[in-house]
Structure formats: C-alpha cells, structure tokens
Amino acid sequence: MSSLDRTDHSSAPEQRLPVVVVGAGAMGKEWLKMLAASPHAVTVGLVDLDLELAASAITSLGLEGVAVGDSVVEVAQRTGAAAVINVTVPQAHRVVNEQALRAGLPVLCEKPLAPTVAEALRQVALANVTGGLLMVSQSRRYFNHLAAFRDVVGELGPLASVNAQFFHEDHEPGFREEMAHPLLVDGSIHHFDVLRYLTGDEPVAVRCSTWNPPWSWFAGDASASAEFELTSGARFVYSGSRCTRGLQTSWNAEWRVYAERGAAAWDGNQLLRVDAEGVGFDVPKRREEIDGSLEDFVTSLRAGTTPQNEVRANVGSLAMVEGAVRSSALKGERVDLGSLLEESLTQAITDETNDDVARELRSWTSATDGINTPAWGSAPATNASGGAR
Ligand SMILES: NC(=O)c1ccc[n+]([C@@H]2O[C@H](COP(=O)([O-])OP(=O)(O)OC[C@H]3O[C@@H](n4cnc5c(N)ncnc54)[C@H](O)[C@@H]3O)[C@@H](O)[C@H]2O)c1
C-alpha cells in the first residue's frame, strides 16, 4: 500500500475504467506500467501501427489479457473499453482523438495536443460536435511541491515577475531530435503550462529567440530565451536548453516568483523557499505526474466535472509555444497571442475537412469565443457512470 491517501478517489478493482492505450513507444510503456498498478483504470487494449512493437511491449511488461491491434475503434469494440489514452506522436494526436471521440470514447491525450494552435482549435470544435471529454495530460502540473508553491504564490499579492530556467541533457532519439523546435514544442510546453497553473495569469504577448549550440545533437533549435507579457502586466522570463552538459535543472525547471509581499522559489524537486512575512505552506500528498493526470481524468469523467486541461483550456499553453516559435522566426519581434489565436481560427476553418467540425468552427464569433464555449463537465452531468455523453 502506498503512503498516498487513496480514500477519496480510488475504485474497487472491478470498477476500474477499462482503457485502450494508443502508442507503444517509450512513453506508452510508462503509461502501461503506471496503469498496471492504478486503482482508477485498467489497460484492456494496446494499439500501435507497429503491431510487433505493441506485442513485445505487452510481453516485456508481463501484462496479461491485453488485446493488441492497429485500430483504436476495433480494439475498443473488441474489449469493451470505455476510454482511450493517446500516447502517439504529436502529429497523430488529432486523428486518433477524432477516431475515439466519434466512436463515443472519451480521451486523455499526451501533450502536446497538436503541432499547431489551428489543429488544437479543430479539436475543441470536434469535442463540441461529439460531446465527448477530451483532456490533455500535462503531467508536470501534478507535483505535490508545485501545488504547495502555487498556494504560496497565491499569497504573495500582485506579481512583478516569474522566472523559470530549464537546462537539461536530453538524449531521446526519434521525433524530438528531428523537429525544428525540440525545446519549445516538446519540452517548454510543460513549463509554459505550469506558468498558467501557478499564477492563473494569462500570457498576452511574447518575444523569443532560439538557437542551436554547436555541439547539439538536435537538428532543430535546442536552446531558447523568451519573455512573456501577462494580463496582469507582470513578466514571465524563461530560458532553457536540452543539450546542457553541466548544472542541470529539474525536468520541471527552476522557478522564482517576485511579488508585492515577497518572493518564493521552487527548485522543481522537493525544495521550496519562501521569503515573505507570514506566508507558510503545507505539501499535500496526492498522486503525481501521469498518475495524477489519470486520476483527474477518471474522477472528472465519473463526476461529470471539468478536469484541468480539458481541451479548450490547453489552447492557451499551445499558443505560448507557437507564439514563441513565431517570434523566433521574426528575430525576436513581439507576437500578440490574441492575434495568433484569431489567425489560427482562420487556418483551422481552411484546413478542416469534416463538414460538422467546419460548421462548428465557423459558428464561433472568434477563437476566444470558441475556447470559452462551455466545456465538457460544466453542465450538470447526465451520465455519472463514466461513459461518453
Ligand atoms: N508527459 C511527459 O513527460 C512525456 C514524456 C515523454 C513523451 N511524452 C509524449 O508522449 C507522446 C509519445 O512519445 P514517445 O516518446 O512515446 O514517442 P515514440 O515515438 O517512442 O512512440 C510513439 C508511438 O506511437 C505510434 N504511432 C504513431 N502514429 C500512430 C497512430 N496513428 N496510431 C497508432 N500508433 C501510432 C508509433 O508507432 C510509436 O510506437 C508524445 O506526444 C510525447 O510528447 C510525454
């Protein structure tokens, strides 16, 4: 028995949500391992375009009774699955999410939801059209020391600046080493999303520059420096690299917050420092990382409530990434994130090939209107048993 408090949310073994995992790569295996011990969900199927890879993942992890296939809909039907966990490469996320949602299956999708904001908006519209839950697993929101840090930041009053540094040596051959912006698109999405979680403040504009150190093993830019203007007027100052050979930070980055009542810092691990009179903290004991996002997904699905990073809430984090990439291409020019969102809606309407989704996108008066359409779970639940609505 773990030291975690399971009294609130755990399900009896027979009530665990049966799920199909799509994607048997490195991260798919992490999900399978976590699910094998989860009180919330159980893997009943594994899908990958590479059937041999899927079969060998099942064998190497010693899993039993897990069906394998290359079609999410077929495997879900065969196994009676009630939800899908999408751990494919980012380029495949939208297609897999669409197949699942149209089959009535809610989806928990790995970050980044999509390569572009336009593609993310198409998925907001898809969620509206199908009425299903689509949540993005931004697993770095689920750290107990981050939750305590967030409580502290909430006590500090108006913010002046938030600083985050992420310096890591990261060898993960595959799509990351080939993409144009491995740091911003694949790594910083976590830190940008944490900024929004930590402060509740929304970025409105960004200036960014990116580059690739001479020794980098990445094809694209592995280093970046960005400054975001937040709605409050405060600034988020971010720097990072994925090919750092010394003084590495946590995967969660190192954070400092300066505000009217004082300052606080988090090393991304277990060290939280507060320099503000009368501000203390308690560290909660909850499930962390993908275990935490799974709990959020399953409990929200069952209760009919809106989880963190329900698809429309995640668009703001993706807009930070795309804004930073655009600014970098414009040699550090200021990119307005509101304009980026609206241009992305025009692009989404142009790209969308399904009539129902295109109609939904065209019905929005703006992208902001679209991401403010009522989220799954914001209306009273009609099916608390966990099925798609
Ligand atoms: N939360 C985290 O900290 C974290 C860490 C690592 C990876 N990730 C994310 O997890 C996802 C997967 O990363 P990975 O490292 O496992 O990648 P990977 O390349 O190792 O594995 C991806 C798998 O998806 C399969 N696939 C691709 N398209 C498919 C489709 N249409 N249908 C079925 N299968 C398909 C591929 O065959 C491959 O086996 C990415 O979105 C990545 O950003 C998240």
Side-chain angles (χ1 to χ4, degrees):
M1 182 78 174
S2 112
S3 60
L4 291 167
D5 175 6
R6 296 181 170 180
T7 51
D8 286 345
H9 305 295
S10 299
S11 312
E14 66 281 7
Q15 290 169 347
R16 287 179 300 167
L17 189 75
V19 298
V20 171
V21 173
V22 190
M27 195 60 195
K29 290 194 192 85
E30 293 303 314
W31 276 95
L32 291 168
K33 276 189 244 166
M34 183 276 288
L35 283 160
S38 173
H40 296 298
V42 58
T43 309
V44 292
L46 177 62
V47 170
D48 201 293
L49 298 176
D50 184 340
L51 285 172
E52 275 180 32
L53 181 73
S56 79
I58 298 293
T59 310
S60 67
L61 294 172
L63 300 175
E64 283 170 13
V66 176
V68 167
D70 59 7
S71 155
V72 62
V73 175
E74 186 275 318
V75 172
Q77 274 168 358
R78 188 161 26 116
T79 57
V84 167
I85 300 179
N86 184 353
V87 202
T88 59
V89 292
Q91 290 78 355
H93 285 171
R94 186 184 59 77
V95 171
V96 172
N97 292 343
E98 171 156 15
Q99 289 166 349
L101 286 168
R102 288 202 186 271
L105 296 159
V107 183
L108 177 56
C109 178
E110 260 295 351
K111 50 54 65 177
L113 171 65
T116 63
V117 173
E119 224 178 284
L121 291 174
R122 291 165 67 190
Q123 296 187 67
V124 173
L126 175 72
N128 287 357
V129 164
T130 58
L133 171 60
L134 174 57
M135 170 180 163
V136 184
S137 177
Q138 292 280 174
S139 56
R140 296 198 173 273
R141 279 190 179 211
Y142 302 89
F143 278 86
N144 290 326
H145 284 77
L146 173 60
F149 187 39
R150 183 185 193 228
D151 289 344
V152 166
V153 169
E155 295 291 312
L156 294 181
L159 301 176
S161 70
V162 179
N163 297 44
Q165 295 195 319
F166 172 70
F167 289 94
H168 222 269
E169 177 170 355
D170 184 10
H171 293 274
E172 286 181 276
F175 67 90
R176 294 173 188 82
E177 293 192 0
E178 288 148 28
M179 63 203 296
H181 287 283
L183 173 66
L184 291 175
V185 173
D186 185 64
S188 310
I189 178 71
H190 281 299
H191 313 125
F192 294 175
D193 183 67
V194 163
L195 177 277
R196 296 175 64 227
Y197 168 78
L198 182 66
T199 63
D201 212 347
E202 288 293 335
V204 292
V206 58
R207 291 175 204 273
C208 177
S209 94
T210 64
W211 65 98
N212 209 17
W215 64 88
S216 173
W217 49 93
F218 290 88
D221 285 355
S223 298
S225 155
E227 183 185 295
F228 289 87
E229 295 165 31
L230 308 182
T231 309
S232 67
R235 299 290 190 270
F236 172 47
V237 182
Y238 177 84
S239 56
S241 178
R242 294 187 81 163
C243 57
T244 309
R245 289 246 154 92
L247 293 178
Q248 295 188 30
T249 63
S250 154
W251 275 108
N252 289 327
E254 282 179 8
W255 295 77
R256 276 174 180 248
V257 174
Y258 295 94
E260 188 175 50
R261 291 190 55 201
W266 179 44
D267 73 345
N269 294 317
Q270 318 275 302
L271 183 64
L272 191 51
R273 288 183 294 150
V274 184
D275 190 2
E277 212 173 313
V279 179
F281 61 87
D282 289 313
V283 180
K285 263 190 169 184
R286 297 183 200 137
R287 290 179 186 281
E288 295 189 313
E289 305 188 57
I290 55 175
D291 200 356
S293 77
L294 177 75
E295 178 169 272
D296 200 356
F297 177 72
V298 175
T299 54
S300 299
L301 196 57
R302 292 198 156 129
T305 51
T306 312
Q308 293 190 55
N309 271 310
E310 191 272 346
V311 61
R312 66 214 73 214
N314 190 247
V315 174
S317 301
L318 275 177
M320 292 178 76
V321 171
E322 193 164 325
V325 168
R326 274 196 199 185
S327 173
S328 156
L330 296 167
K331 304 265 175 258
E333 249 179 56
R334 181 180 185 277
V335 170
D336 181 273
L337 299 185
S339 307
L340 183 152
L341 266 181
E342 299 314 325
E343 286 165 30
S344 299
L345 176 56
T346 306
Q347 188 64 50
I349 291 169
T350 305
D351 295 344
E352 184 54 55
T353 52
N354 293 299
D355 287 347
D356 52 358
V357 177
R359 245 192 330 274
E360 172 69 17
L361 287 165
R362 282 196 298 269
S363 75
W364 299 347
T365 55
S366 64
T368 311
D369 170 36
I371 58 179
N372 286 323
T373 50
W376 189 96
S378 54
T382 54
N383 176 2
S385 68
R389 304 192 302 168

